[in-house]
PDB file of all heavy atoms in Angstrom:
ATOM      1  N   MET A 931      42.336 -40.793 -84.405  1.00 96.00           N
ATOM      2  CA  MET A 931      42.870 -40.364 -83.008  1.00 96.00           C
ATOM      3  C   MET A 931      44.242 -40.978 -82.814  1.00 96.00           C
ATOM      4  O   MET A 931      44.411 -42.215 -83.262  1.00 96.00           O
ATOM      5  CB  MET A 931      41.857 -40.981 -81.952  1.00 96.00           C
ATOM      6  CG  MET A 931      42.084 -40.572 -80.566  1.00 96.00           C
ATOM      7  SD  MET A 931      43.069 -41.668 -79.591  1.00 96.00           S
ATOM      8  CE  MET A 931      42.251 -43.202 -79.654  1.00 96.00           C
ATOM      9  N   ILE A 933      47.348 -41.552 -79.839  1.00 98.00           N
ATOM     10  CA  ILE A 933      47.823 -41.456 -78.443  1.00 98.00           C
ATOM     11  C   ILE A 933      49.327 -41.058 -78.362  1.00 98.00           C
ATOM     12  O   ILE A 933      50.109 -41.627 -78.983  1.00 98.00           O
ATOM     13  CB  ILE A 933      47.653 -42.772 -77.682  1.00 98.00           C
ATOM     14  CG1 ILE A 933      46.096 -43.223 -77.814  1.00 98.00           C
ATOM     15  CG2 ILE A 933      47.975 -42.615 -76.162  1.00 98.00           C
ATOM     16  CD1 ILE A 933      45.821 -44.614 -77.215  1.00 98.00           C
ATOM     17  N   ARG A 934      49.565 -39.995 -77.570  1.00 98.00           N
ATOM     18  CA  ARG A 934      50.954 -39.623 -77.350  1.00 98.00           C
ATOM     19  C   ARG A 934      51.285 -39.714 -75.865  1.00 98.00           C
ATOM     20  O   ARG A 934      50.480 -39.196 -75.096  1.00 98.00           O
ATOM     21  CB  ARG A 934      51.141 -38.215 -77.808  1.00 98.00           C
ATOM     22  CG  ARG A 934      51.045 -38.037 -79.363  1.00 98.00           C
ATOM     23  CD  ARG A 934      51.234 -36.636 -79.769  1.00 98.00           C
ATOM     24  NE  ARG A 934      51.133 -36.398 -81.132  1.00 98.00           N
ATOM     25  CZ  ARG A 934      51.042 -35.205 -81.831  1.00 98.00           C
ATOM     26  NH1 ARG A 934      50.947 -34.206 -81.035  1.00 98.00           N
ATOM     27  NH2 ARG A 934      51.054 -35.142 -83.093  1.00 98.00           N
ATOM     28  N   THR A 961      41.202 -19.542 -83.964  1.00 98.00           N
ATOM     29  CA  THR A 961      40.275 -19.738 -82.924  1.00 98.00           C
ATOM     30  C   THR A 961      40.557 -20.865 -81.982  1.00 98.00           C
ATOM     31  O   THR A 961      40.617 -22.016 -82.576  1.00 98.00           O
ATOM     32  CB  THR A 961      38.743 -19.844 -83.410  1.00 98.00           C
ATOM     33  OG1 THR A 961      38.458 -18.679 -84.117  1.00 98.00           O
ATOM     34  CG2 THR A 961      37.804 -19.973 -82.324  1.00 98.00           C
ATOM     35  N   CYS A 963      39.857 -23.047 -78.340  1.00 98.00           N
ATOM     36  CA  CYS A 963      38.910 -23.398 -77.276  1.00 98.00           C
ATOM     37  C   CYS A 963      39.673 -24.020 -76.166  1.00 98.00           C
ATOM     38  O   CYS A 963      40.470 -25.023 -76.461  1.00 98.00           O
ATOM     39  CB  CYS A 963      37.789 -24.231 -77.699  1.00 98.00           C
ATOM     40  SG  CYS A 963      36.786 -24.806 -76.436  1.00 98.00           S
ATOM     41  N   LEU A 982      55.633 -14.338 -74.391  1.00 95.00           N
ATOM     42  CA  LEU A 982      56.354 -13.088 -73.940  1.00 95.00           C
ATOM     43  C   LEU A 982      57.772 -13.105 -74.394  1.00 95.00           C
ATOM     44  O   LEU A 982      58.285 -12.191 -75.014  1.00 95.00           O
ATOM     45  CB  LEU A 982      56.224 -12.890 -72.412  1.00 95.00           C
ATOM     46  CG  LEU A 982      54.888 -12.435 -71.846  1.00 95.00           C
ATOM     47  CD1 LEU A 982      54.871 -12.445 -70.386  1.00 95.00           C
ATOM     48  CD2 LEU A 982      54.381 -11.120 -72.414  1.00 95.00           C
ATOM     49  N   ASP A 987      52.464 -12.832 -81.235  1.00 96.00           N
ATOM     50  CA  ASP A 987      51.303 -11.903 -81.220  1.00 96.00           C
ATOM     51  C   ASP A 987      49.960 -12.782 -81.158  1.00 96.00           C
ATOM     52  O   ASP A 987      49.655 -13.449 -82.039  1.00 96.00           O
ATOM     53  CB  ASP A 987      51.244 -11.084 -82.499  1.00 96.00           C
ATOM     54  CG  ASP A 987      50.149 -10.163 -82.487  1.00 96.00           C
ATOM     55  OD1 ASP A 987      49.464  -9.995 -81.452  1.00 96.00           O
ATOM     56  OD2 ASP A 987      49.796  -9.745 -83.674  1.00 96.00           O
ATOM     57  N   PRO A1004      32.535 -14.507 -62.166  1.00 98.00           N
ATOM     58  CA  PRO A1004      33.919 -14.509 -62.819  1.00 98.00           C
ATOM     59  C   PRO A1004      34.984 -14.215 -61.906  1.00 98.00           C
ATOM     60  O   PRO A1004      36.139 -14.529 -62.134  1.00 98.00           O
ATOM     61  CB  PRO A1004      33.734 -13.586 -63.953  1.00 98.00           C
ATOM     62  CG  PRO A1004      32.487 -12.820 -63.891  1.00 98.00           C
ATOM     63  CD  PRO A1004      31.622 -13.541 -62.934  1.00 98.00           C
ATOM     64  N   SER A1009      36.042 -20.181 -60.706  1.00 98.00           N
ATOM     65  CA  SER A1009      35.366 -20.148 -61.903  1.00 98.00           C
ATOM     66  C   SER A1009      36.414 -20.351 -63.069  1.00 98.00           C
ATOM     67  O   SER A1009      37.575 -20.100 -62.970  1.00 98.00           O
ATOM     68  CB  SER A1009      34.630 -18.806 -62.047  1.00 98.00           C
ATOM     69  OG  SER A1009      35.620 -17.825 -62.505  1.00 98.00           O
ATOM     70  N   ARG A1015      41.812 -16.400 -67.350  1.00 98.00           N
ATOM     71  CA  ARG A1015      42.425 -15.136 -67.263  1.00 98.00           C
ATOM     72  C   ARG A1015      43.668 -15.135 -66.468  1.00 98.00           C
ATOM     73  O   ARG A1015      44.746 -14.620 -66.954  1.00 98.00           O
ATOM     74  CB  ARG A1015      41.451 -14.098 -66.579  1.00 98.00           C
ATOM     75  CG  ARG A1015      40.275 -13.723 -67.526  1.00 98.00           C
ATOM     76  CD  ARG A1015      39.467 -12.602 -66.905  1.00 98.00           C
ATOM     77  NE  ARG A1015      38.258 -12.431 -67.575  1.00 98.00           N
ATOM     78  CZ  ARG A1015      38.091 -11.637 -68.688  1.00 98.00           C
ATOM     79  NH1 ARG A1015      39.182 -10.977 -69.231  1.00 98.00           N
ATOM     80  NH2 ARG A1015      36.999 -11.383 -69.248  1.00 98.00           N
ATOM     81  N   LEU A1018      46.413 -17.409 -68.282  1.00 98.00           N
ATOM     82  CA  LEU A1018      46.862 -17.146 -69.620  1.00 98.00           C
ATOM     83  C   LEU A1018      46.532 -15.763 -70.184  1.00 98.00           C
ATOM     84  O   LEU A1018      47.367 -14.941 -70.524  1.00 98.00           O
ATOM     85  CB  LEU A1018      46.128 -18.213 -70.506  1.00 98.00           C
ATOM     86  CG  LEU A1018      46.655 -18.261 -71.937  1.00 98.00           C
ATOM     87  CD1 LEU A1018      48.112 -18.497 -72.100  1.00 98.00           C
ATOM     88  CD2 LEU A1018      45.813 -19.374 -72.749  1.00 98.00           C
ATOM     89  N   LEU A1022      48.716 -12.024 -71.933  1.00 95.00           N
ATOM     90  CA  LEU A1022      48.820 -11.792 -73.296  1.00 95.00           C
ATOM     91  C   LEU A1022      47.963 -10.609 -73.699  1.00 95.00           C
ATOM     92  O   LEU A1022      47.100 -10.237 -73.039  1.00 95.00           O
ATOM     93  CB  LEU A1022      48.237 -13.080 -74.137  1.00 95.00           C
ATOM     94  CG  LEU A1022      48.861 -14.375 -73.705  1.00 95.00           C
ATOM     95  CD1 LEU A1022      48.115 -15.563 -74.317  1.00 95.00           C
ATOM     96  CD2 LEU A1022      50.362 -14.422 -74.167  1.00 95.00           C
ATOM     97  N   ASP A1048      27.111 -19.072 -81.885  1.00 98.00           N
ATOM     98  CA  ASP A1048      27.222 -18.064 -82.891  1.00 98.00           C
ATOM     99  C   ASP A1048      28.645 -17.577 -83.061  1.00 98.00           C
ATOM    100  O   ASP A1048      29.165 -17.402 -84.209  1.00 98.00           O
ATOM    101  CB  ASP A1048      26.334 -16.794 -82.626  1.00 98.00           C
ATOM    102  CG  ASP A1048      24.819 -17.241 -82.760  1.00 98.00           C
ATOM    103  OD1 ASP A1048      24.617 -18.300 -83.283  1.00 98.00           O
ATOM    104  OD2 ASP A1048      23.997 -16.399 -82.296  1.00 98.00           O
ATOM    105  N   THR A1102      33.346 -24.697 -49.496  1.00 97.00           N
ATOM    106  CA  THR A1102      32.295 -25.545 -50.064  1.00 97.00           C
ATOM    107  C   THR A1102      31.361 -24.708 -50.731  1.00 97.00           C
ATOM    108  O   THR A1102      30.763 -23.792 -50.364  1.00 97.00           O
ATOM    109  CB  THR A1102      31.576 -26.411 -48.844  1.00 97.00           C
ATOM    110  OG1 THR A1102      32.632 -26.984 -48.112  1.00 97.00           O
ATOM    111  CG2 THR A1102      30.730 -27.414 -49.472  1.00 97.00           C
ATOM    112  N   SER A1106      25.465 -27.044 -59.107  1.00 97.00           N
ATOM    113  CA  SER A1106      24.378 -28.029 -59.577  1.00 97.00           C
ATOM    114  C   SER A1106      24.323 -28.084 -61.099  1.00 97.00           C
ATOM    115  O   SER A1106      24.003 -29.141 -61.789  1.00 97.00           O
ATOM    116  CB  SER A1106      22.992 -27.600 -59.049  1.00 97.00           C
ATOM    117  OG  SER A1106      22.746 -26.220 -59.493  1.00 97.00           O
ATOM    118  N   MET A1116      33.525 -30.453 -80.425  1.00 98.00           N
ATOM    119  CA  MET A1116      34.771 -31.129 -80.448  1.00 98.00           C
ATOM    120  C   MET A1116      34.987 -31.909 -81.656  1.00 98.00           C
ATOM    121  O   MET A1116      36.015 -31.883 -82.369  1.00 98.00           O
ATOM    122  CB  MET A1116      34.870 -31.957 -79.258  1.00 98.00           C
ATOM    123  CG  MET A1116      36.256 -32.645 -78.993  1.00 98.00           C
ATOM    124  SD  MET A1116      36.390 -33.559 -77.537  1.00 98.00           S
ATOM    125  CE  MET A1116      35.950 -35.123 -78.133  1.00 98.00           C
ATOM    126  N   LYS A1121      41.430 -29.620 -84.916  1.00 98.00           N
ATOM    127  CA  LYS A1121      42.371 -30.370 -84.160  1.00 98.00           C
ATOM    128  C   LYS A1121      41.967 -30.414 -82.657  1.00 98.00           C
ATOM    129  O   LYS A1121      41.570 -29.329 -82.080  1.00 98.00           O
ATOM    130  CB  LYS A1121      43.839 -29.793 -84.232  1.00 98.00           C
ATOM    131  CG  LYS A1121      44.928 -30.640 -83.651  1.00 98.00           C
ATOM    132  CD  LYS A1121      46.277 -30.089 -84.068  1.00 98.00           C
ATOM    133  CE  LYS A1121      47.395 -31.127 -83.705  1.00 98.00           C
ATOM    134  NZ  LYS A1121      48.704 -30.600 -83.997  1.00 98.00           N
ATOM    135  N   GLU A1140      39.929 -47.989 -74.269  1.00 98.00           N
ATOM    136  CA  GLU A1140      39.697 -49.441 -74.559  1.00 98.00           C
ATOM    137  C   GLU A1140      38.197 -49.893 -74.473  1.00 98.00           C
ATOM    138  O   GLU A1140      37.825 -50.928 -75.075  1.00 98.00           O
ATOM    139  CB  GLU A1140      40.434 -50.238 -73.586  1.00 98.00           C
ATOM    140  CG  GLU A1140      41.918 -50.015 -73.749  1.00 98.00           C
ATOM    141  CD  GLU A1140      42.816 -50.685 -72.750  1.00 98.00           C
ATOM    142  OE1 GLU A1140      42.322 -51.510 -71.887  1.00 98.00           O
ATOM    143  OE2 GLU A1140      44.038 -50.449 -72.689  1.00 98.00           O
ATOM    144  N   ASP A1141      37.204 -49.116 -73.859  1.00 98.00           N
ATOM    145  CA  ASP A1141      35.884 -49.424 -73.828  1.00 98.00           C
ATOM    146  C   ASP A1141      35.162 -49.098 -75.173  1.00 98.00           C
ATOM    147  O   ASP A1141      35.667 -48.308 -75.941  1.00 98.00           O
ATOM    148  CB  ASP A1141      35.148 -48.757 -72.683  1.00 98.00           C
ATOM    149  CG  ASP A1141      35.407 -49.373 -71.383  1.00 98.00           C
ATOM    150  OD1 ASP A1141      36.374 -50.271 -71.313  1.00 98.00           O
ATOM    151  OD2 ASP A1141      34.747 -49.140 -70.345  1.00 98.00           O
ATOM    152  N   GLY A1144      30.929 -44.527 -76.869  1.00 98.00           N
ATOM    153  CA  GLY A1144      29.482 -44.218 -76.624  1.00 98.00           C
ATOM    154  C   GLY A1144      29.365 -43.268 -75.604  1.00 98.00           C
ATOM    155  O   GLY A1144      30.303 -42.905 -74.850  1.00 98.00           O
ATOM    156  N   ASN A1157      41.599 -35.911 -86.409  1.00 98.00           N
ATOM    157  CA  ASN A1157      42.790 -35.148 -85.920  1.00 98.00           C
ATOM    158  C   ASN A1157      42.753 -34.940 -84.491  1.00 98.00           C
ATOM    159  O   ASN A1157      42.950 -33.801 -83.934  1.00 98.00           O
ATOM    160  CB  ASN A1157      42.840 -33.793 -86.673  1.00 98.00           C
ATOM    161  CG  ASN A1157      44.205 -33.293 -86.899  1.00 98.00           C
ATOM    162  OD1 ASN A1157      45.208 -33.872 -86.719  1.00 98.00           O
ATOM    163  ND2 ASN A1157      44.239 -31.914 -87.131  1.00 98.00           N
ATOM    164  N   ARG A1176      54.482 -52.753 -67.105  1.00 57.00           N
ATOM    165  CA  ARG A1176      55.804 -52.102 -67.113  1.00 57.00           C
ATOM    166  C   ARG A1176      56.423 -51.895 -65.719  1.00 57.00           C
ATOM    167  O   ARG A1176      55.567 -51.617 -64.815  1.00 57.00           O
ATOM    168  CB  ARG A1176      55.822 -50.776 -67.825  1.00 57.00           C
ATOM    169  CG  ARG A1176      55.627 -50.988 -69.317  1.00 57.00           C
ATOM    170  CD  ARG A1176      55.545 -49.702 -70.042  1.00 57.00           C
ATOM    171  NE  ARG A1176      55.554 -49.935 -71.376  1.00 57.00           N
ATOM    172  CZ  ARG A1176      56.191 -49.152 -72.289  1.00 57.00           C
ATOM    173  NH1 ARG A1176      56.777 -48.049 -71.935  1.00 57.00           N
ATOM    174  NH2 ARG A1176      56.173 -49.401 -73.554  1.00 57.00           N
TER     175      ARG A1176
END
Side-chain angles (χ1 to χ4, degrees):
M931 187 270 303
I933 301 172
R934 291 180 178 166
T961 298
C963 170
L982 289 176
D987 180 16
S1009 75
R1015 287 187 187 278
L1018 189 60
L1022 305 172
D1048 290 349
T1102 307
S1106 61
M1116 186 176 93
K1121 187 170 191 179
E1140 296 173 13
D1141 283 12
N1157 208 16
R1176 286 178 174 216

